[in-house]
Amino acid sequence: MSYEQLEQQLAELHLAAIYDQYVPLAQKAAQSNWSYETYLAYLIDQEAERRTRNRRTRRIKDAKFPLIKELADFDYAAIPQLNKQRVMSLAEGAYLEQAEPVILMGNPGLGKTHIAIGLALIACRQGHRVRFYTVTQLANDLAQAQQEHRLPKFLEKLGRHKLLVLDEFGYVPFSATGAHLLFQCCSALTERVSLIITTNLPFSEWIQVLGDERLTSGLLDRLTFRSHIVEFVGESYRFRQQMPVDGEGR
Ligand code: ADP
Ligand code: MG
C-alpha cells in the first residue's frame, strides 16, 4: 500500500492526528522497539486526545459567550458575603446531571455574569453543550421562531443543550407574548436542561417584568424546584475598582 493512499484515507476519515503522527511515531516505535499494538495504541491515543480538545473548543465557540470569564479569576475576597463554598460545589457540576436550575441574584456589578460564564465554561470543558443568552435575546429569538412557525423546532434545539445561561432577567420587562414564550420555553426545558439565571430582582418583584400573576407563579414554581439560589450582596466590583486605594476603608 502506498503512503499516498493511506494519507488520502486518513484525510477522508478525518483522522487528522494519526495523519500528522504516524510517521514520527513509527520512528519512535522503531527506536523503542514498540510492538505493533503499542504503536497503534499511541496513534489512537493521539487521535482521541485531539478530538477531546477540539470538542471543548467547539463547545465554547458554540456557547456564544459575550466574554470569557474564568471562575479562577474571580476574587472572592471582594465579595465576602458570597457563599464561596456554594460556588465551588456548583463548579463540580452535579447540578448539570440533575438538570437543576441555578439562580444568581443580586445588584449589578457583583459578578453574577462572571460566575455564570465561569460555571458554563467548566461545563463546556466537560464536553457539554452550552448556550449563553441574555433573557431579552432569548425572548426575541423565541418570538421570531414563533412568527416563522418554527417554535417547536427551536425549543427542541434548545433542549439538546445540557445548560442554558439566561443572563439579566429583570432589566427589561416583557411584552405579554414575550412573557408567555419565556414561560413556555422554561416549561419545556425544566428537568431536562440546566438553567443558570442571573437576575437583579428578588422573586417578589418578578411579576413586574412578567406582568401576569399566574404565569409568574408558574415560572417561579418551575425555576425554584430543586434550585440552587446564590445571593450576591455587597458593593459593585466596578465601582470598587475605580476608588483610589487610599480611599478604602474611609
Ligand atoms: P453582574 O453580572 O453582577 O452585574 P459582572 O459579572 O458583569 O456583574 O461584573 C462586572 C465586572 O466586574 C466584570 O468585568 C467582572 O469580571 C468583574 N467582577 C465582578 N466581581 C468580581 C470579583 N469578585 N472578582 C473579579 N472580577 C469581578
Ligand atoms: Mg450581569
Side-chain angles (χ1 to χ4, degrees):
M1 184 162 68
S2 74
Y3 288 169
E4 200 182 328
Q5 188 191 349
L6 170 64
E7 293 192 353
Q8 197 183 331
Q9 287 172 324
L10 288 173
E12 275 169 20
L13 293 168
H14 304 291
L15 296 166
I18 297 183
Y19 186 109
D20 289 346
Q21 294 294 320
Y22 82 97
V23 174
L25 273 181
Q27 285 161 1
K28 215 168 157 197
Q31 280 163 14
S32 314
N33 273 324
W34 288 350
S35 65
Y36 296 119
E37 290 86 346
T38 304
Y39 173 61
L40 178 64
Y42 269 99
L43 278 181
I44 297 295
D45 188 54
Q46 294 281 321
E47 187 63 38
E49 219 173 83
R50 175 164 332 193
R51 287 188 183 206
T52 305
R53 213 167 44 233
N54 287 351
R55 189 181 319 116
R56 286 185 195 144
T57 310
R58 201 165 59 238
R59 293 286 186 257
I60 292 173
K61 189 168 152 275
D62 291 348
K64 301 204 160 53
F65 296 115
L67 295 160
I68 296 297
K69 293 279 177 182
E70 300 288 351
L71 213 54
D73 296 331
F74 195 79
D75 175 13
Y76 293 91
I79 176 164
Q81 293 185 72
L82 178 71
N83 189 337
K84 176 179 176 182
Q85 209 48 51
R86 207 81 193 289
V87 176
M88 300 308 267
S89 100
L90 284 169
E92 287 166 17
Y95 74 101
L96 292 166
E97 294 320 316
Q98 311 298 325
E100 292 163 349
V102 175
I103 298 173
L104 310 179
M105 188 180 276
N107 285 335
L110 297 181
K112 301 182 299 296
T113 301
H114 187 135
I115 296 281
I117 294 176
L119 289 173
L121 275 168
I122 292 172
C124 290
R125 292 188 182 119
Q126 289 169 347
H128 297 305
R129 276 178 225 280
V130 173
R131 182 72 161 82
F132 180 102
Y133 281 103
T134 64
V135 179
T136 310
Q137 194 185 11
L138 177 65
N140 288 341
D141 284 7
L142 286 165
Q144 195 176 346
Q146 191 186 39
Q147 260 170 32
E148 294 167 3
H149 307 290
R150 50 177 181 84
L151 186 60
K153 210 165 179 187
F154 183 72
L155 291 176
E156 195 220 290
K157 212 172 106 193
L158 285 180
R160 286 204 290 265
H161 293 84
K162 191 78 169 178
L163 168 67
L164 291 187
V165 179
L166 305 186
D167 197 30
E168 302 194 337
F169 178 91
Y171 283 99
V172 184
F174 298 101
S175 65
T177 316
H180 190 265
L181 284 170
L182 190 74
F183 173 77
Q184 201 181 333
C185 174
C186 289
S187 296
L189 300 180
T190 21
E191 299 189 44
R192 289 204 296 133
V193 177
S194 288
L195 298 176
I196 298 181
I197 299 181
T198 80
T199 182
N200 59 328
L201 291 184
F203 293 132
S204 59
E205 291 173 31
W206 281 32
I207 187 165
Q208 289 169 21
V209 282
L210 291 164
D212 181 294
E213 199 169 327
R214 251 190 31 217
L215 193 142
T216 305
S217 65
L219 185 70
L220 285 178
D221 187 53
R222 281 160 178 79
L223 289 181
T224 53
F225 179 60
R226 292 198 321 198
S227 68
H228 305 265
I229 298 166
V230 185
E231 286 186 82
F232 288 64
V233 180
E235 212 177 330
S236 161
Y237 189 79
R238 285 195 196 96
F239 181 72
R240 285 172 53 112
Q241 294 305 95
Q242 284 161 11
M243 296 217 314
V245 174
D246 67 357
E248 280 201 2
R250 286 198 193 152

